Amino acid sequence: MQRTTTIIDYSLQEEKIARYAKALSHPIRIRILQFLDRQSCCFTGDFTEEIPMAQSTISQHLKELKEAGLIQGDVMPPRIKYCINQAAWAEAKKYFNEFFQ
Amino acid sequence: MQRTTTIIDYSLQEEKIARYAKALSHPIRIRILQFLDRQSCCFTGDFTEEIPMAQSTISQHLKELKEAGLIQGDVMPPRIKYCINQAAWAEAKKYFNEFFQ
DNA sequence: ATAGTTCATCGCAAATTTACGATGAAGCAA
DNA sequence: TTGCTTCATCGTAAATTTGCGATGAACTAT
């Protein structure tokens, strides 16, 4: 990326919106979130049945959503139960609403 | 990316949200859009004064926003006047509202 | 102990994104 | 014509994203 000079202080709002938007920037992740929203909670296996992609790829998208804070995973051996993180979801909603007026 | 097997039909909604989200996934582009929203319209030079990045980099981000449809550029030699594309903006707003309920 | 299930993570490859400086097109002014 | 301004685009480099198969960790059941 050849980052030579630029250092920019982004506002919290700029950072937050960009971060959440990045998490939403792939159609598979939109599908995962909407699926989660309907089911309330899912195991990884539910997604691999629903979405025709390699299990490892889906796991990677779940990780991206988790790192953005939008979902959380609770260990229930041998499975992992994913739910939407309602607090983060509400925050994202607030920031996007505000952004679009 | 080694795309060997997977072909997924995304819904229009999935595609639209992901596409707009991608455009919003960089804090500089958030800043550009908010700046545009306040000023109603700007020339490229206004951004280069406001944002401490190379002119070519800013131009590239404007291009990304233009390709997503969120802004439009009108040639006013020797400058280019950028405005928010209100129709696309309204559409993005609608999709995000819908997505967040 | 062995075998099966569920899932994250690793290693790799290709594509895309991000950033820069340099260049050049388009137009204006002298 | 020559020179100036404004801006997109090109070329390049580094980082990140996306996707896969393979592996292995963690747990359950036999």
Side-chain angles (χ1 to χ4, degrees):
Chain A
M1 239 187 263
Q2 198 179 311
R3 297 172 170 281
T4 49
T5 55
T6 307
I7 297 169
I8 296 190
D9 273 335
Y10 296 113
S11 71
L12 180 65
Q13 192 205 24
E14 286 163 350
E15 300 261 23
K16 286 276 191 182
I17 294 178
R19 187 65 190 87
Y20 284 129
K22 182 159 157 276
L24 302 181
S25 72
H26 194 297
I28 287 197
R29 296 199 285 266
I30 300 299
R31 183 170 297 189
I32 288 173
L33 286 170
Q34 286 185 321
F35 191 60
L36 260 185
D37 197 44
R38 283 195 296 276
Q39 309 288 313
S40 115
C41 281
C42 296
F43 300 108
T44 307
D46 299 330
F47 300 118
T48 59
E49 279 172 34
E50 191 74 7
I51 301 170
M53 298 204 96
Q55 180 265 321
S56 60
T57 304
I58 291 173
S59 198
Q60 210 171 285
H61 283 294
L62 288 170
K63 188 181 181 190
E64 168 65 25
L65 289 170
K66 201 163 65 178
E67 282 174 358
L70 286 172
I71 65 174
Q72 62 197 58
D74 298 320
V75 180
M76 294 180 66
R79 302 191 285 179
I80 311 240
K81 194 182 69 175
Y82 284 103
C83 307
I84 287 179
N85 180 325
Q86 294 299 336
W89 187 262
E91 188 186 66
K93 177 180 179 159
K94 185 191 72 138
Y95 275 113
F96 279 104
N97 271 342
E98 202 172 292
F99 181 69
F100 283 111
Q101 248 73 307
Chain B
M1 236 187 267
Q2 198 177 313
R3 296 172 172 281
T4 49
T5 55
T6 308
I7 298 169
I8 297 190
D9 272 336
Y10 297 113
S11 71
L12 180 64
Q13 192 204 23
E14 286 163 350
E15 299 261 23
K16 285 278 191 179
I17 294 178
R19 186 66 191 89
Y20 284 130
K22 182 159 157 277
L24 302 181
S25 70
H26 195 297
I28 286 196
R29 295 198 287 265
I30 301 299
R31 183 171 296 190
I32 287 174
L33 285 169
Q34 286 184 321
F35 192 60
L36 260 185
D37 196 46
R38 281 195 298 277
Q39 309 288 312
S40 118
C41 281
C42 298
F43 300 106
T44 306
D46 298 331
F47 300 117
T48 58
E49 278 172 34
E50 191 72 7
I51 300 170
M53 300 204 96
Q55 181 264 320
S56 59
T57 303
I58 291 173
S59 197
Q60 211 171 281
H61 284 294
L62 288 169
K63 189 182 180 188
E64 167 66 24
L65 288 170
K66 201 162 63 177
E67 282 174 357
L70 285 171
I71 65 173
Q72 62 197 57
D74 298 319
V75 180
M76 294 179 68
R79 301 190 286 178
I80 310 237
K81 193 181 70 175
Y82 283 102
C83 308
I84 287 180
N85 181 324
Q86 294 299 337
W89 188 262
E91 188 185 66
K93 177 180 179 160
K94 185 191 72 136
Y95 275 112
F96 279 102
N97 272 342
E98 203 172 291
F99 180 69
F100 284 110
Q101 250 74 306

